[in-house]
Amino acid sequence: MTNAAASWSMPRPLRVARVRRETADAATLDLTPGSRFAFTPGQFNMLYMFGLGEVAISMSGDPAQEDRIVHTVRAVGAVSSALSRLRRGGVVGVRGPYGSGWPVSEAEGSDIIIIAGGLGLAPLRPAIYRVLARRQHYGRVVLLYGARGPSDIIYRRELEAWRRRLDVDIEVTVDHAGADWRGNVGVVPALIPRCSFDPEHTVALVCGPEIMMRFTIAALRDRALPAQQIYVSMERHMKCAVGLCGRCQFGLHFVCRAGPVFRFDRIAPVFGIREI
Ligand SMILES: Cc1cc2nc3c(=O)[nH]c(=O)nc-3n(C[C@H](O)[C@H](O)[C@H](O)COP(=O)(O)OP(=O)(O)OC[C@H]3O[C@@H](n4cnc5c(N)ncnc54)[C@H](O)[C@@H]3O)c2cc1C
Ligand code: FES
């Protein structure tokens, strides 16, 4: 074992040390890297199910804990379904870390508003850990999270723990709920008009389905938040993850190299064009 943090350009087989079911179709996997693994919140790995295929999955764990790699995976197709069915002791190929990260250090001194939709909370969770670890370096910290229904909420216990803190404003909303839900009902952008932040000194981090991000950005712009203070994480199909194959092209950018986290003003001309 060396002191340098690991980074792998070829898939390295790692064992699953722990699995937590988040929802009916999503699970969080803790992998043991065997040496220090450092990453920037917002970055991703390529996870390889041997003989099946490889997919991009964000790190969702605490960047301060370099003895494990944490990923939250939702089953949408063959590879992600196989990943989400892994059990303790299972093996997955890992290469990474890749891509750009959230500007968590740059945002010190400002208010920070973190807005997540569905599984979009996974790539933001490392940023939340980092912000909370250095809480005194930020102004107001706001977390807005929206899920389809109460059973789609991930990281429930942590959300409850964060909610108990007096130094973080948390709002959780669901699109649809039964009579036993006591929280907000509605889409996450609808929470923005009533939340308190200083637009001149606020950085917004946004991740979720593109439609959610589009309405979220419009609501932030209505609150006079400049486009250069808004960051979004983009998803595109990926193959090489190192800027060679062109599979993840998004306007002038390759999402795997220039992204997945982009400052919004840099992609505003192409953001929201469905064909891109
Ligand atoms: C940078 C990045 C980070 C990601 N982080 C996570 C994460 O933390 N957790 C997680 O569960 N998923 C994450 N994803 C999405 C994940 O990579 C895809 O769900 C996965 O590739 C699906 O592969 P599959 O073989 O299971 O399904 P496929 O058979 O390839 O696809 C199933 C369905 O999902 C659609 N789809 C697949 N991949 C994408 C994509 N990238 N963008 C839009 N639609 C897609 C397909 O069009 C199809 O309709 C991330 C993607 C990127 C690019
Ligand atoms: S995945 Fe190959 S260029 Fe981005």
Side-chain angles (χ1 to χ4, degrees):
M1 195 191 297
T2 67
N3 281 332
S7 101
W8 303 302
S9 55
M10 295 290 286
R12 184 186 171 108
L14 298 186
R15 261 194 207 286
V16 177
R18 189 159 94 148
V19 179
R20 270 154 295 172
R21 287 241 65 87
E22 301 287 350
T23 65
D25 61 358
T28 294
L29 311 174
D30 288 14
L31 309 175
T32 39
S35 52
R36 281 179 49 220
F37 181 87
F39 68 94
T40 304
Q43 286 191 301
F44 66 95
N45 279 331
M46 294 300 286
L47 300 191
Y48 182 41
M49 285 304 291
F50 293 97
L52 203 56
E54 206 183 23
V55 293
I57 303 288
S58 305
M59 264 63 84
S60 66
D62 185 345
Q65 296 185 338
E66 297 183 348
D67 60 343
R68 75 187 70 167
I69 305 176
V70 181
H71 291 289
T72 304
V73 187
R74 176 157 63 211
V76 298
V79 181
S80 53
S81 298
L83 283 166
S84 70
R85 282 196 304 266
L86 276 167
R87 297 271 171 265
R88 185 161 180 257
V91 175
V92 58
V94 179
R95 62 184 174 99
Y98 295 122
S100 58
W102 301 109
V104 182
S105 306
E106 296 84 331
E108 289 194 2
S110 304
D111 291 352
I112 189 158
I113 176 165
I114 296 170
I115 309 173
L119 215 76
L121 187 56
L124 282 165
R125 189 167 68 157
I128 299 169
Y129 287 129
R130 175 95 15 116
V131 167
L132 296 184
R134 292 177 59 79
R135 178 63 189 89
Q136 70 276 22
H137 297 274
Y138 297 87
R140 194 177 283 273
V141 175
V142 179
L143 170 61
L144 307 180
Y145 173 48
R148 275 172 302 183
S151 60
D152 298 303
I153 293 172
I154 59 174
Y155 313 143
R156 280 168 171 276
R157 266 195 289 181
E158 258 166 329
L159 284 166
E160 282 311 316
W162 294 335
R163 203 197 282 279
R164 285 195 292 274
R165 294 176 65 127
L166 299 176
D167 56 357
V168 186
D169 297 339
I170 298 195
E171 294 282 353
V172 177
T173 186
V174 295
D175 298 345
H176 311 285
D180 53 345
W181 172 254
R182 307 235 173 282
N184 299 297
V185 177
V187 294
V188 73
L191 299 172
I192 293 169
R194 64 173 205 242
C195 78
S196 164
F197 58 88
D198 169 8
E200 262 186 54
H201 303 106
T202 294
V203 173
L205 315 181
V206 184
C207 188
E210 275 186 45
I211 180 94
M212 166 265 171
M213 294 206 285
R214 214 173 309 151
F215 282 102
T216 297
I217 288 162
L220 290 170
R221 303 285 288 126
D222 284 348
R223 291 286 308 271
L225 196 69
Q228 62 271 25
Q229 289 165 221
I230 301 172
Y231 291 79
V232 296
S233 184
M234 297 302 299
E235 256 193 37
R236 285 296 178 270
H237 289 274
M238 285 186 186
K239 201 166 176 182
C240 71
V242 292
L244 292 176
C245 73
R247 183 81 197 272
C248 65
Q249 183 139 19
F250 175 57
L252 295 174
H253 307 286
F254 288 162
V255 171
C256 65
R257 289 304 286 263
V261 175
F262 290 94
R263 208 175 81 179
F264 180 64
D265 59 313
R266 297 193 172 132
I267 56 163
V270 289
F271 184 83
I273 302 177
R274 240 175 245 255
E275 294 72 28
I276 290 184

